[in-house]
Amino acid sequence: YYRASTGGVPNNDAIIDDYAFLASAAADLFQATGDRDYLEWGLELINYADENFANPDGGYFQTPEGAEAPMGRQMELYDGVIPSGNSAMMQALIKVSALTSNTDMHDSVVKMAGAYTHLARQVGFGMAVFLDAVEKINGPFYEVVIAGNPANPANPAQQYDPATQSLMDRYRNLF
C-alpha cells in the first residue's frame, strides 16, 4: 500500500497509521454490511503490520522493516488531532479481537499498554486514544445489540426492566 498518489501513480509507502486506520475501517465495514471479506481484509492488514512494523518491545514503528530511515526507525506514541498509529492500531486490534475472539491480538494490546502506560501517566491527554484502549482492555468491554422488531408480532423486541428499556429506546432512536 501507498500513502499517496499523484496523477494515478502511487508514491510514498504506507506507514503504520495507514494500516491501523484501514484495518479499523475494514472492521467497521464488516460490522455495517456483514460481508466477511472486509473482516478478512482487516486481518490481513493487521498481520502485515505485525510482520513488518512491530517493535519486539511492544508497539509499532512508523516505517516497515527495511525501509529507508536515515534517523532510524521511529515510534510515534503521542496522540494529536489525529491519533498516533500505535493508538489507532491498539483500537483496531481491540475491535478485530472482539469480532474474531483472537486472543493474540488482545495480548498484543496488553503488551503495548504495559510497555507505555508509564509514559501515558506523564502526558495524560497527549495519549488520550492510547488511554481509551487501555480502559477497554481493562474492561468491561460492552457491545450493544438491538434485536427484534416491536412492529412485527412474529419477531417482537425483547422486553427489559424499565431502566434498561429506557437505554435501549435511546439507542433505537439514534438509528
Side-chain angles (χ1 to χ4, degrees), residues 1-75:
Y1 290 97
Y2 295 93
R3 196 156 174 79
S5 69
T6 304
V9 178
N11 55 37
N12 298 327
D13 289 333
I15 60 174
I16 192 61
D17 305 47
D18 303 312
Y19 285 92
F21 286 118
L22 199 53
S24 187
D28 289 342
L29 285 167
F30 165 71
Q31 288 181 293
T33 67
D35 185 341
R36 190 153 177 81
D37 289 342
Y38 289 123
L39 185 58
E40 295 298 327
W41 184 34
L43 284 165
E44 288 172 21
L45 292 162
I46 289 171
N47 289 334
Y48 183 86
D50 284 344
E51 292 168 11
N52 294 280
F53 292 84
N55 178 342
D57 297 328
Y60 297 87
F61 292 106
Q62 283 295 105
T63 55
E65 189 171 344
E68 186 177 322
M71 297 179 67
R73 293 178 77 196
Q74 304 293 311
M75 284 188 64

Side-chain angles (χ1 to χ4, degrees), residues 6-161:
T6 304
V9 178
N11 55 37
N12 298 327
D13 289 333
I15 60 174
I16 192 61
D17 305 47
D18 303 312
Y19 285 92
F21 286 118
L22 199 53
S24 187
D28 289 342
L29 285 167
F30 165 71
Q31 288 181 293
T33 67
D35 185 341
R36 190 153 177 81
D37 289 342
Y38 289 123
L39 185 58
E40 295 298 327
W41 184 34
L43 284 165
E44 288 172 21
L45 292 162
I46 289 171
N47 289 334
Y48 183 86
D50 284 344
E51 292 168 11
N52 294 280
F53 292 84
N55 178 342
D57 297 328
Y60 297 87
F61 292 106
Q62 283 295 105
T63 55
E65 189 171 344
E68 186 177 322
M71 297 179 67
R73 293 178 77 196
Q74 304 293 311
M75 284 188 64
E76 181 58 55
L77 296 168
Y78 299 105
D79 298 321
V81 174
I82 298 174
S84 73
N86 276 286
S87 294
M89 185 57 84
M90 287 176 82
Q91 296 288 342
L93 288 166
I94 290 168
K95 189 181 300 184
V96 174
S97 174
L99 292 169
T100 63
S101 300
N102 183 317
T103 57
D104 290 340
M105 289 181 192
H106 182 269
D107 294 346
S108 180
V109 176
V110 170
K111 182 177 181 180
M112 289 175 69
Y116 303 108
T117 298
H118 70 283
L119 183 60
R121 284 190 184 113
Q122 295 172 6
V123 300
F125 286 120
M127 291 177 73
V129 179
F130 173 93
L131 290 169
D132 178 65
V134 171
E135 184 69 22
K136 286 177 181 170
I137 62 168
N138 286 326
F141 183 103
Y142 295 107
E143 291 282 329
V144 175
V145 177
I146 300 173
N149 180 351
N152 181 352
N155 186 19
Q158 173 70 42
Q159 296 300 310
Y160 301 95
D161 64 86

